[in-house]
Amino acid sequence: MKTLLHHETWTGTDVTIRDIERELQRLRSSSAASGSMHLRTSVLTHIAWVPREWRDAAEETLQGLAERHPSRTLILTPEPTGATGIDAELALRSFAAGQHAVYSEVISLTLRGATSLAPASIALPLLISDLPVFLRWRGRPDFGGRQWRQLVGVADRVVIDTSEWDELRPNELCREFEKTALSDIAWARTVEWRRVLAGTWPEIRDQEIRLAGPPAEAELLRGWLVARLERGVRAVAPAAEISVTLDGVPVTAPTMFAVTSSDRLSAELDRFARDPIYEAAVRATA
Amino acid sequence: MSAHAEENPLLEGLDLGRRPESCALVIFGASGDLTQRKLMPALYSLAIRGLLPEHFVVIGAARTPGTDDEFRAKMREAIEKYARDPFREDVWERLASGMRYAALDFSDETSENSLVRILSTVDAEYGTQGNRVFYFAVPPNAIATLVSELAARRAAEGWVRLIIEKPFGNDLASARSLNELIADRFSEREVYRIDHYLGKETVQNMLALRFANGIFEPIWNRQFVDHVQITVAESIGIEGRGSFYEHTGAIRDIFQNLLLQLVAITAMEPPSDFTADSVRNEKVKVLRSLQTPDPTSVVRGQYGRGFVEGIEVPGYREEDGVDPASMTDTYVAAKLYVDNWRWADTPFYVRMGKRLGRRETTVAIQFKRAPHPPFAEATSDSLRPNVLLIHVQPDEGMSLAIGAKVPGQGMSIRTVHMDFLYGSAFREGLPEAYERLILDAMLGDATLFTRSDEIEEQWALVDAITSAWERDRTAFPNYAAGTWGPPSADELLHRDGRSWRRH
Ligand SMILES: NC(=O)c1ccc[n+]([C@@H]2O[C@H](COP(=O)([O-])OP(=O)(O)OC[C@H]3O[C@@H](n4cnc5c(N)ncnc54)[C@H](OP(=O)(O)O)[C@@H]3O)[C@@H](O)[C@H]2O)c1
């Protein structure tokens, strides 16, 4: 873990975009003057749509992320019931990297009242030009809702985690594939199992496959087997951990190297194109 | 990938990562400094990232007696002390479970067979399938015996790779005879001559910078580049390795390998692809095009007493293990020319040495001045030519010096630097060079290793330079520790109306 060298914050209520830009500029100059930051190199803008109940989990993931993807993160928390206005909390963080610092900006905005319905118009002026935009949507989106539609419109890639949903909703997901490139962290969590199962080819083709595991991951794994092997696979049994048997014999679980949610998200932020294998797996679960 | 893999529908789109096939890594010289400080920490970092083969064992071999448990304890200590990642018991346990120690002397028949026995036992116990990586972390004079003995006991199954530490030979004749000895018994594809600098991210990034960006290549030639300066400076001395350095000097320690590699990577033509042979073919072409510098284009130096970082340090001739009248070079500067269409008449000024002002490895591409600056009065001395500076260490990254207007009235122009540091743009700490290189060797990717013809071209140039030294005897010491080398090195550039970069 890298050491946090420097942290500067500013908070304001009922702010405008101009206020935010001005305060960011001021924080940057003051940290440059204090000698703690010499340079800014960014690789992307990361928008996180984080309803109130997801705030803590999101904060933890971001802590781990900022030190690896030095970039601007925009955390948008909708509060549709409040009086219309924007509250902001800005943080400049720098982490030690060799003799220099990795730099990241976190702009947390609470969108109260009507502003919560127009998030893209707030995000757009705060994106770093010419760099890719990733949207991490916490919880289950309302695919028909204007907030989802708007933010997907400004993002190059959308990252979801279907294990945060009450159930995998393949039909709704499949409609989104045509509109944006989607990454699913639950799918990323199955990669070690997919590698292990790929190693059981060709026997697996004709064996009886039984899967148990947490609903999103196990269901995606089942969909993947159905799509790739072009055959039926029995419904999954719920369990805390994934397990697989082939003709009644348990498959040895892969070694899981400690991978945090920040690592998973970070890996998704390195991917740009659509993932046809994931899309086929989701379709197969429908 | 095999036909079998292509048919497997489960492999489609599945990123298998860069995970090597199961193998046993045998480290000769396991009781030595390199194993503790670099190799074991690198293996641990690969282990923590899940990059080691599924079935993997490490066998430490050296003449010093010892047991498996003693070896494990020593390696654990080395990891705790030198690894870049925090110590994790579970990762260590996994790595340590496949660790063995073999106390053996290869000039003695029985011990060779004991290694073969250990290897066949681990194949059976761990499923390493006869695949072997032999890492020669031993003094150069021990290599020939090891090569012959290993060849004689080659397993029937599996692949073999030899990783050979630098220095590879001592001059052209010795390098050639070692190459011949190896070529008789192993194929070039099985040989990985290591120079850890080539595993550094920045060195590889030079290739990315040059060949993945459309804006640099069109100006990367004699028409736009005034000259190139390459500096490999160390502030440390010889660190107690007097007897080694006496036979080596800066010319063999740095010039022969790292420095010439930096010249080759800076000057090479775009390879048609990024495979080991395409890249190495282009590098060899540069080495072949290097003119042998005449004696007036080479400066050698040796440091005397001086101050480094505020502390008084002894001169080279006062160091332990050094002849008080030693004529060994601790500094070399040279003006090189690459005789080809791209670089004709563009000097490459190179310098390297011990006990210099500070530690720095850089490649500086100095561009020609703007043909007619309309701000002549405003610029005076403060506007220097554009320089693209590539930092190899410390702080891997690059910076571009450009002229910019000073804010305010009038048209006053100053040189400013745009800096880019790797650590600031990408996730993860930079991997240690040894991690990359050991992994590449296990994967069978030789791009970052030196091929036999490259080594021979390098030594041919070194021999040409050193033979001239036998005729002239420079008065040593000729620079004080903590300075930037002898005055004659400055003159080398002043004669051409240029000067070394400011520090
Ligand atoms: N240390 C570094 O940072 C570094 C950097 C670049 C290159 N290198 C190169 O790596 C090699 C090893 O360097 P080192 O610093 O680790 O040296 P070292 O500390 O002196 O260790 C040498 C090792 O080789 C073994 N050895 C010595 N003579 C041998 C022989 N005749 N047959 C078999 N084994 C023998 C020694 O063990 P026993 O005496 O127990 O047999 C010891 O384990 C050298 O070629 C060096 O040039 C080292």
Side-chain angles (χ1 to χ4, degrees):
Chain A
M1 167 83 53
K2 289 181 180 150
T3 340
L4 184 63
L5 288 182
H6 191 85
H7 187 110
E8 287 206 31
T9 56
W10 174 83
T11 51
T13 44
D14 270 325
V15 299
T16 62
I17 300 292
R18 271 200 68 97
D19 295 336
I20 295 171
E21 284 170 341
R22 191 190 56 237
E23 289 305 320
L24 268 179
Q25 188 62 42
R26 196 184 54 75
L27 289 181
R28 266 185 229 132
S29 346
S30 90
S31 49
S34 72
S36 57
M37 274 174 214
H38 303 287
L39 74 156
R40 299 197 308 131
T41 310
S42 301
V43 288
L44 53 89
T45 307
H46 171 210
I47 305 175
W49 178 260
V50 184
R52 184 69 57 198
E53 65 272 24
W54 290 101
R55 275 307 273 261
D56 292 347
E59 181 56 28
E60 194 181 312
T61 308
L62 285 173
Q63 291 280 357
L65 189 69
E67 56 187 77
R68 277 172 289 182
H69 277 279
S71 297
R72 178 174 293 180
T73 296
L74 216 54
I75 303 177
L76 305 178
T77 300
E79 294 244 302
T81 52
T84 293
I86 303 174
D87 300 334
E89 191 182 324
L90 311 185
L92 286 198
R93 294 175 186 163
S94 63
F95 299 87
Q99 293 175 7
H100 287 262
V102 175
Y103 170 100
S104 80
E105 296 173 348
V106 181
I107 305 171
S108 308
L109 303 179
T110 305
L111 311 183
R112 290 184 276 105
T115 60
S116 70
L117 296 175
S121 68
I122 294 158
L124 262 176
L126 294 172
L127 304 180
I128 306 177
S129 12
D130 297 324
L131 288 178
V133 179
F134 285 76
L135 169 65
R136 168 73 171 99
W137 192 284
R138 281 282 177 170
R140 185 169 64 79
D142 170 8
F143 292 115
R146 53 203 279 186
Q147 295 146 325
W148 169 264
R149 283 206 318 275
Q150 282 178 21
L151 287 177
V152 164
V154 299
D156 297 286
R157 184 169 195 93
V158 181
V159 183
I160 51 172
D161 184 348
T162 48
S163 69
E164 293 170 354
W165 304 3
D166 46 357
E167 58 178 338
L168 193 68
R169 294 170 175 252
N171 293 327
E172 289 169 63
L173 263 178
C174 289
R175 280 196 292 276
E176 295 305 313
F177 293 152
E178 297 313 315
K179 301 180 194 144
T180 186
L182 266 178
S183 284
D184 183 347
I185 292 178
W187 169 248
R189 268 188 228 112
T190 63
V191 68
E192 287 88 359
W193 267 107
R194 282 181 276 139
R195 287 190 192 124
V196 166
L197 292 174
T200 64
W201 172 267
E203 292 77 16
I204 190 171
R205 189 174 35 189
D206 309 311
Q207 284 169 319
E208 188 208 17
I209 307 174
R210 288 193 179 219
L211 288 160
E217 287 86 346
E219 193 54 34
L220 288 169
L221 207 52
R222 190 183 75 87
W224 172 69
L225 288 168
V226 170
R228 303 263 60 82
L229 299 175
E230 297 178 346
R231 53 166 276 198
V233 174
R234 296 167 71 115
V236 302
E241 300 282 338
I242 298 181
S243 63
V244 182
T245 61
L246 297 180
D247 278 348
V249 181
V251 178
T252 313
T255 322
M256 293 291 185
F257 296 95
V259 181
T260 64
S261 51
S262 315
D263 296 329
R264 297 279 187 208
L265 178 54
S266 187
E268 293 309 316
L269 298 187
D270 287 337
R271 259 182 267 275
F272 290 89
R274 282 172 65 168
D275 179 352
I277 307 292
Y278 168 66
E279 293 180 5
V282 173
R283 273 195 201 95
T285 66
Chain B
M1 197 152 275
S2 66
H4 172 69
E6 276 162 34
E7 285 166 15
N8 181 348
L10 299 180
L11 281 180
E12 206 178 323
L14 192 58
D15 176 9
L16 292 176
R18 280 166 45 93
R19 197 130 191 226
E21 289 176 68
S22 298
C23 63
L25 169 67
V26 182
I27 303 176
F28 294 105
S31 57
D33 172 68
L34 184 71
T35 307
Q36 286 185 55
R37 281 196 312 116
K38 297 290 181 189
L39 305 186
M40 212 33 86
L43 288 173
Y44 175 79
S45 292
L46 292 173
I48 216 169
R49 288 170 182 74
L51 295 171
L52 288 178
E54 184 80 28
H55 304 287
F56 180 66
V57 293
V58 182
I59 299 166
R63 294 166 310 178
T64 309
T67 64
D68 290 348
D69 284 339
E70 283 163 2
F71 179 60
R72 288 189 196 117
K74 203 166 153 202
M75 294 303 112
R76 181 188 173 119
E77 206 177 293
I79 290 168
E80 285 173 338
K81 194 157 165 203
Y82 297 114
R84 69 181 171 107
D85 298 299
F87 189 83
R88 267 180 42 195
E89 202 65 46
D90 55 332
V91 176
W92 163 250
E93 284 299 330
R94 219 174 122 78
L95 187 62
S97 69
M99 248 181 217
R100 297 276 180 287
Y101 184 72
L104 50 86
D105 187 342
F106 251 60
S107 43
D108 147 20
E109 278 281 322
T110 51
S111 39
E112 294 148 17
N113 296 330
S114 80
L115 178 65
V116 173
R117 262 197 314 279
I118 297 178
L119 282 168
S120 35
T121 322
V122 300
D123 277 346
E125 275 179 34
Y126 289 88
T128 42
Q129 300 167 6
N131 296 332
R132 318 263 182 258
V133 179
F134 293 109
Y135 199 118
F136 296 170
V138 293
N141 57 16
I143 292 177
T145 323
L146 286 174
V147 169
S148 321
E149 297 301 333
L150 289 175
R153 283 170 184 71
R154 201 180 172 132
E157 261 186 282
W159 45 253
V160 171
R161 292 180 190 135
L162 312 181
I163 307 183
I164 305 181
E165 262 297 338
K166 70 169 197 178
F168 190 93
N170 184 36
D171 54 16
L172 180 58
S174 58
R176 203 173 260 165
S177 75
L178 188 53
N179 272 337
E180 281 164 6
L181 176 88
I182 295 171
D184 256 4
R185 294 157 173 85
F186 295 92
S187 76
E188 181 62 30
R189 281 187 305 106
E190 295 174 319
V191 185
Y192 295 76
R193 295 173 194 77
I194 214 163
D195 179 347
H196 66 274
Y197 266 102
L198 288 186
K200 292 235 171 230
E201 287 287 318
T202 321
V203 173
Q204 297 156 49
N205 197 55
M206 282 255 293
L207 299 171
L209 171 82
R210 290 192 51 200
F211 305 127
N213 293 293
I215 61 166
F216 295 115
E217 209 41 30
I219 53 170
W220 206 267
N221 55 46
R222 63 190 303 270
Q223 219 182 326
F224 296 93
V225 174
D226 181 73
H227 69 277
V228 176
Q229 287 189 20
I230 302 182
T231 303
V232 181
E234 293 175 281
S235 56
I236 55 169
I238 52 169
E239 307 282 287
R241 303 208 301 155
S243 56
F244 158 78
Y245 205 81
E246 276 286 89
H247 304 289
T248 314
I251 191 104
R252 294 189 175 81
D253 190 32
I254 302 288
F255 181 90
Q256 177 265 331
N257 39 71
L258 169 61
L259 198 110
L260 289 179
Q261 287 287 348
L262 289 176
V263 171
I265 290 169
T266 309
M268 71 194 256
E269 295 299 314
S272 57
D273 53 38
F274 202 63
T275 56
D277 272 325
S278 306
V279 173
R280 298 191 293 182
N281 286 344
E282 294 306 332
K283 285 199 292 171
V284 170
K285 280 188 210 158
V286 174
L287 294 171
R288 290 205 177 119
S289 319
L290 278 176
Q291 238 179 49
T292 305
D294 64 73
T296 59
S297 297
V298 181
V299 169
R300 58 178 169 149
Q302 188 192 77
Y303 63 85
R305 192 166 268 281
F307 285 85
V308 171
E309 293 170 13
I311 293 165
E312 188 168 20
V313 297
Y316 177 72
R317 288 175 174 180
E318 300 164 69
E319 304 263 15
D320 279 349
V322 171
D323 175 358
S326 171
M327 286 306 293
T328 300
D329 48 293
T330 63
Y331 176 97
V332 177
K335 176 162 74 164
L336 303 174
Y337 283 102
V338 181
D339 274 343
N340 63 18
W341 194 267
R342 189 191 281 266
W343 294 115
D345 302 325
T346 311
F348 282 63
Y349 298 103
V350 301
R351 59 178 164 168
M352 69 233 71
K354 295 256 181 216
R355 286 281 188 231
L356 297 182
R358 69 151 187 252
R359 169 173 170 250
E360 140 174 356
T361 302
T362 48
V363 176
I365 315 290
Q366 178 150 336
F367 292 94
K368 291 186 174 164
R369 286 183 183 275
H372 171 70
F375 322 105
E377 277 173 34
T379 56
S380 63
D381 291 342
S382 56
L383 185 62
R384 301 199 299 273
N386 297 126
V387 177
L388 179 67
L389 186 62
I390 296 157
H391 306 262
V392 178
Q393 74 170 16
D395 291 333
E396 305 187 38
M398 61 187 90
S399 62
L400 181 64
I402 53 171
K405 181 184 171 303
V406 177
Q409 291 182 352
M411 197 61 188
S412 170
I413 297 183
R414 288 267 305 270
T415 298
V416 295
H417 278 235
M418 289 198 318
D419 291 321
F420 164 77
L421 286 133
Y422 278 97
S424 69
F426 295 108
R427 68 202 187 90
E428 289 244 351
L430 295 183
E432 280 285 322
Y434 277 101
E435 292 169 33
R436 171 70 196 262
L437 295 171
I438 294 173
L439 184 63
D440 278 7
M442 289 199 282
L443 289 162
D445 179 352
T447 313
L448 302 176
F449 297 84
T450 319
R451 208 167 56 186
S452 57
D453 50 350
E454 265 180 292
I455 287 267
E456 291 182 16
E457 290 298 335
Q458 294 170 346
W459 278 123
L461 191 66
V462 168
D463 281 5
I465 293 174
T466 52
S467 66
W469 288 354
E470 279 154 24
R471 295 186 293 275
D472 106 277
R473 291 186 72 80
T474 313
F476 280 166
N478 60 355
Y479 70 99
T483 65
W484 280 102
S488 45
D490 294 331
E491 284 152 25
L492 181 71
L493 271 75
H494 292 167
R495 285 203 298 269
D496 299 342
R498 301 188 176 100
S499 54
W500 292 109
R501 281 180 37 247
R502 276 190 251 162
H503 292 275

